[in-house]
Amino acid sequence: MDCIFCKIANKEIVANIVFEDEDFVVFKDINPVAEVHLLIIPKMHIGSLMEIDMLDASKIKNMFGIINKMADDFGISSKGFRVVTNIGESACQSVKHLHFHIIGGRKFGWPPG
Ligand code: AMP
Ligand code: ZN
């Protein structure tokens, strides 16, 4: 499958990986929108959150634990940060492999654009 995030997970293309375990990879977004902008992806190809049933509940729990750990490690948990997943066209999902943006280091507006 021609999926850029599968290629990052398989080390076929280089990314700035900051964490990895058996199931997930976390790397820096190539086009950051804040001081800290990480992406967490499952190593398994999952098209979007709509296919989350492909992941066991225990792995989903682990994923959110990693997100919290990343927020701590990158110093954004105390002031607050944002976790975002875009699903489909209206939400501007550009890479069709499930990923959560972990974004922090500045004050955000709400609602999002
Ligand atoms: P989304 O628009 O929610 O699908 O987010 C996709 C994100 O992937 C964007 O923020 C891109 O900047 C990021 N991105 C795309 N290609 C790469 C890459 N090779 N390495 C790191 N981040 C990437
Ligand atoms: Zn993929």
Side-chain angles (χ1 to χ4, degrees):
M1 184 186 303
D2 192 25
C3 169
I4 193 165
F5 285 180
C6 280
K7 287 179 179 165
I8 287 174
N10 294 332
K11 314 286 166 46
E12 289 166 38
I13 66 167
V14 175
N16 194 336
I17 293 173
V18 297
F19 176 91
E20 178 173 11
D21 71 7
E22 198 183 330
D23 302 305
F24 299 99
V25 180
V26 183
F27 53 96
K28 293 188 177 179
D29 195 294
I30 205 167
N31 187 21
V33 299
E35 193 181 324
V36 177
H37 187 167
L38 307 175
L39 300 172
I40 182 166
I41 63 168
K43 288 185 172 175
M44 179 198 300
H45 182 85
I46 298 176
S48 81
L49 189 62
M50 293 302 288
E51 297 171 16
I52 195 71
D53 283 353
M54 291 173 71
L55 278 180
D56 293 347
S58 64
K59 291 185 178 179
I60 296 169
K61 183 180 176 199
N62 288 346
M63 183 185 70
F64 282 102
I66 295 164
I67 289 173
N68 288 351
K69 176 177 164 36
M70 292 298 107
D72 276 339
D73 289 355
F74 281 81
I76 56 174
S77 56
S78 60
K79 279 199 166 175
F81 63 104
R82 197 167 274 178
V83 178
V84 176
T85 189
N86 294 316
I87 303 152
E89 194 182 332
S90 292
C92 303
Q93 182 184 1
S94 61
V95 179
K96 307 303 192 257
H97 179 131
L98 175 64
H99 52 284
F100 288 81
H101 299 256
I102 305 164
I103 312 167
R106 66 173 171 83
K107 178 84 176 160
F108 299 117
W110 192 263

